[in-house]
Amino acid sequence: MQEILRVEGLSKTFRLSTKQQRLERTHAKTRVAVDRLSFSAYKGEIFGLLGPNGAGKTTTLRMLATLIKPDSGDATIDGFSIRTQPGQVRARIGFLTSELKLEEFFTPRYLFDFFSALHNIDLQLVAQRRESLFARFGIDEFAEVKVSELSTGMKQKASLAISLVHDPDILIFDEPTNGLDVITAKVVTDYLAELRGGGKTIILSTHIFSLVEKLCDRVGIIIEGRMAIAGTLAEVSPQRSLEDTFFDLYVSTTGEVA
């Protein structure tokens, strides 16, 4: 297997505001979001990063997407460092997260063309990709509708199409089905499987066990910013459900009763 992503000792700590300290009922001035995290992903696979809310999944993916810098450690994507070669990394990835909102004043067509221009894609190719992706996700009739007037599901599908404008080989998706109805969620998961079949590598975070079991070739369970275990589903949970394995790891790691 060809390794396309290598994460080595990635760490990130955030300062807590007074308000955050009150909300989290802590006197600590900092919080370790990601703690010396290491794992690999290979070409043509879906790797799932599974963990509860606050485990560090989103922070990890934002570092991989070069949106924030790690405090220590590094990761290479297709051989390029997220710390020293962020431009090369961005050219090779597509990134989708519910935390990054589309500008609501614009339309899906305008935003697709705008981000295509940022990647210097030939206009004829832009038109071909837009037509194909908009048809695939049923965006056609909403192409000229402002984002503010779209449903949650349509916004997510438009965001997915826009993340693919440059036909990236590596896709990083943070909770790709979060908040979607069952129909839209199936459209998204079916397409992720198609992308894998086309040789794309997909890194996705989720807290949904069934999504991992349905889609992922390998999974890493992250708890309190640390990788508890990683491998194929058969390696991680050979004789029991993934849910049971996860909760055993959660209790042994945190000392809390799930």
Side-chain angles (χ1 to χ4, degrees):
M1 293 189 293
Q2 178 185 344
E3 185 181 68
I4 201 161
L5 167 68
R6 175 178 291 184
V7 179
E8 296 182 299
L10 215 56
S11 295
K12 185 67 179 180
T13 298
F14 293 105
R15 284 189 171 276
L16 296 178
S17 66
T18 302
K19 180 179 180 180
Q20 288 172 317
Q21 287 175 301
R22 285 200 306 269
L23 290 173
E24 298 186 17
R25 298 178 181 179
T26 180
H27 295 294
K29 294 184 178 181
T30 60
R31 184 182 72 242
V32 178
V34 178
D35 189 5
R36 295 165 291 176
L37 194 69
S38 298
F39 65 95
S40 295
Y42 301 94
K43 183 176 177 58
E45 77 167 3
I46 298 179
F47 183 95
L49 201 57
L50 174 68
N53 292 337
K57 304 186 303 296
T58 294
T59 300
T60 298
L61 297 191
R62 287 170 69 87
M63 286 191 285
L64 295 182
T66 73
L67 295 180
I68 58 176
K69 291 184 178 180
D71 296 330
S72 60
D74 198 2
T76 55
I77 293 180
D78 201 19
F80 295 98
S81 165
I82 63 171
R83 293 178 70 97
T84 62
Q85 299 166 296
Q88 296 282 8
V89 169
R90 290 171 196 151
R92 286 162 173 77
I93 67 169
F95 182 56
L96 175 66
T97 173
S98 59
E99 290 191 348
L100 296 179
K101 306 295 185 183
L102 296 178
E103 174 52 60
E104 296 202 336
F105 179 80
F106 297 112
T107 66
R109 179 188 177 99
Y110 176 87
L111 290 168
F112 189 94
D113 291 354
F114 174 79
F115 283 100
S116 296
L118 291 182
H119 286 281
N120 297 313
I121 301 171
D122 178 78
L123 290 178
Q124 184 175 355
L125 187 55
V126 170
Q128 292 173 357
R129 287 180 181 166
R130 185 179 61 242
E131 180 180 0
S132 174
L133 288 168
F134 279 27
R136 178 65 177 78
F137 295 119
I139 304 172
D140 307 70
E141 60 184 295
F142 302 96
E144 301 295 346
V145 177
K146 288 183 179 180
V147 170
S148 61
E149 299 173 14
L150 299 177
S151 68
T152 299
M154 190 56 64
K155 287 178 182 178
Q156 183 78 336
K157 289 190 285 188
S159 296
L160 178 56
I162 289 167
S163 74
L164 299 170
V165 294
H166 55 309
D167 193 26
D169 288 329
I170 304 104
L171 303 161
I172 300 173
F173 292 151
D174 187 18
E175 301 281 3
T177 61
N178 193 32
L180 300 183
D181 64 80
V182 292
I183 302 299
T184 306
K186 179 168 172 51
V187 170
V188 171
T189 55
D190 285 352
Y191 192 67
L192 295 185
E194 288 180 25
L195 290 171
R196 173 183 55 193
K200 308 292 187 184
T201 301
I202 300 169
I203 314 298
L204 66 84
S205 75
T206 185
H207 60 275
I208 303 172
F209 300 107
S210 59
L211 182 64
V212 173
E213 291 169 331
K214 176 183 178 180
L215 275 183
C216 297
D217 301 286
R218 293 190 309 120
V219 60
I221 295 178
I222 180 173
I223 300 172
E224 294 188 337
R226 297 181 180 181
M227 186 66 76
I229 191 172
T232 65
L233 292 176
E235 291 168 342
V236 168
S237 189
Q239 296 180 325
R240 48 208 310 244
S241 72
L242 181 61
E243 183 178 13
D244 287 341
T245 296
F246 169 81
F247 282 114
D248 280 351
L249 285 168
Y250 182 82
V251 171
S252 65
T253 300
T254 66
E256 299 178 14
V257 177

